[in-house]
Amino acid sequence: MSTPSDTMMAVLERLAREDAGLGDPTLMPPQHARALAELTNTRWNAELPEMAETRTMIHAGMPARWVVPKNDKGTEAILHVHGGGWALCSVSTHEGAARRIAEACACPVLTFDYRLAPENPYPSGLADVLSAWRALDTGRRWSIGGDSAGANLSLAAMLALHDEGAPLPATALLFYGVYGADFDSPSYIRNAEGPGLTRAKMMRYWDWYAPETKRGTPTVAPLAASDAQLAAMPPLYLNAAELDPLLSDTEALVARLRALGRDDDYDLIPGVVHGFMQMGLALPEAADAFRRAGEVFQRITA
């Protein structure tokens, strides 16, 4: 049985103290869960990397943030899709992630607030991601990426663009994504009770986002994509957390890609839980993961 690393355990102990009694967001009214997510993520947005430019804007009709790192090379940019079970989080909760991605990848990052479930289930969020993609300035070469549900929406958007015959992103950064709804996978069973994300919470997020009748659709659950669809994707970077119910999702996706003869970069981060990259400077593994994603991104886009 795998256990948290020493640094991950220290963060988990801190969270147990700070969040005692807060409850399970998936058992709350969505508006309360979102408010809680905003508050609890505030702690990770301290000591952020200083940017050359930060701007709040409206993009494709949605509130958005544009962050430009001091090391911007002037050619690339990334559309970042935040995670949160398709139901929680925002531009604000992922400010730290956006800045760290920008600095690691040496290019600007655009984040935006798409519509959230359960009030706006599939395909609302995906439609907003596609609208954001289509409205991008063509002065740079664009990539896409996201964490958890944001990785799901990023890959789903690329599958939709492929089916339309539209141009695809240069690459995609997919962090501990949710790509299927097999709640009996090895990692769902092994990590059913967390720490952090649990099997039961993930099942409720899925119920908020898409009914079972739609979970065989590739733009809902990308593991349902055909070989031809997956083969057509641009170069991908994927990572996964060892102590995550969603680990098997990424392992299954990587196995599909390998079977197609692709060599997309994949890193399994030992001893960490789902969402670890949100934990910023408090967790060395998070800093290492951003750095690694930036190395791969710059190599692919060179």
Side-chain angles (χ1 to χ4, degrees):
M1 184 77 177
S2 300
T3 58
S5 68
D6 290 345
T7 49
M8 185 76 255
M9 182 59 74
V11 172
L12 291 172
E13 290 171 350
R14 172 187 169 185
L15 293 176
R17 292 191 303 270
E18 294 180 358
D19 296 351
L22 290 183
D24 179 346
T26 65
L27 297 175
M28 301 175 185
Q31 66 271 27
H32 295 167
R34 286 182 201 125
L36 185 62
E38 295 292 321
L39 291 170
T40 54
N41 275 278
T42 299
R43 62 187 151 217
W44 308 129
N45 284 332
E47 299 181 59
L48 296 181
E50 187 177 344
M51 297 284 104
E53 179 188 356
T54 61
R55 182 156 45 99
T56 300
M57 56 191 293
I58 298 295
H59 177 74
M62 294 173 278
R65 282 280 283 172
W66 171 252
V67 297
V68 182
K70 293 182 176 180
N71 60 346
D72 176 27
K73 294 182 178 180
T75 57
E76 310 294 327
I78 298 170
L79 181 69
H80 182 259
V81 188
H82 71 77
W86 304 285
L88 311 179
C89 295
S90 67
V91 163
S92 296
T93 62
H94 282 64
E95 175 80 11
R99 292 193 185 203
R100 292 183 176 101
I101 291 168
E103 187 174 67
C105 295
C107 72
V109 169
L110 179 66
T111 58
F112 61 101
D113 282 331
Y114 56 89
R115 286 172 291 173
L116 299 174
E119 300 94 330
N120 299 286
Y122 173 86
S124 298
L126 176 59
D128 287 350
V129 175
L130 289 167
S131 294
W133 177 260
R134 293 175 180 129
L136 293 172
D137 185 334
T138 57
R140 289 177 181 255
R141 183 170 63 164
W142 283 86
S143 295
I144 197 169
D147 61 303
S148 190
N152 168 285
L153 290 167
S154 296
L155 184 50
M158 290 191 293
L159 292 169
L161 291 169
H162 166 262
D163 290 349
E164 295 171 8
L168 294 175
T171 186
L173 304 176
L174 305 176
F175 306 141
Y176 39 83
V178 47
Y179 306 119
D182 178 7
F183 306 119
D184 294 319
S185 72
S187 64
Y188 263 113
I189 299 303
R190 185 171 60 249
N191 301 308
E193 300 305 320
L197 182 65
T198 67
R199 181 175 184 265
K201 288 178 183 177
M202 200 63 225
M203 293 174 76
R204 287 190 284 270
Y205 283 129
W206 266 110
D207 287 342
W208 279 0
Y209 182 58
E212 290 185 29
T213 55
K214 293 185 177 180
R215 295 177 193 173
T217 305
T219 52
V220 176
L223 279 170
S226 69
D227 286 351
Q229 287 174 308
L230 290 179
M233 293 297 98
L236 308 176
Y237 172 69
L238 305 101
N239 74 14
E242 183 184 21
L243 307 178
D244 185 352
L246 300 181
L247 169 59
S248 293
D249 281 24
T250 299
E251 290 180 330
L253 178 57
V254 170
R256 292 277 310 276
L257 295 167
R258 295 285 188 265
L260 293 170
R262 294 175 56 111
D263 61 352
D264 302 274
D265 289 272
Y266 165 57
D267 291 318
L268 171 60
I269 316 302
V272 296
V273 304
H274 184 80
F276 75 98
M277 291 174 73
Q278 275 294 95
M279 297 169 186
L281 295 180
L283 190 67
E285 290 94 334
D288 290 343
F290 283 114
R291 189 159 46 247
R292 167 66 174 159
E295 289 171 357
V296 175
F297 177 86
Q298 292 193 61
R299 186 184 77 236
I300 290 173
T301 57

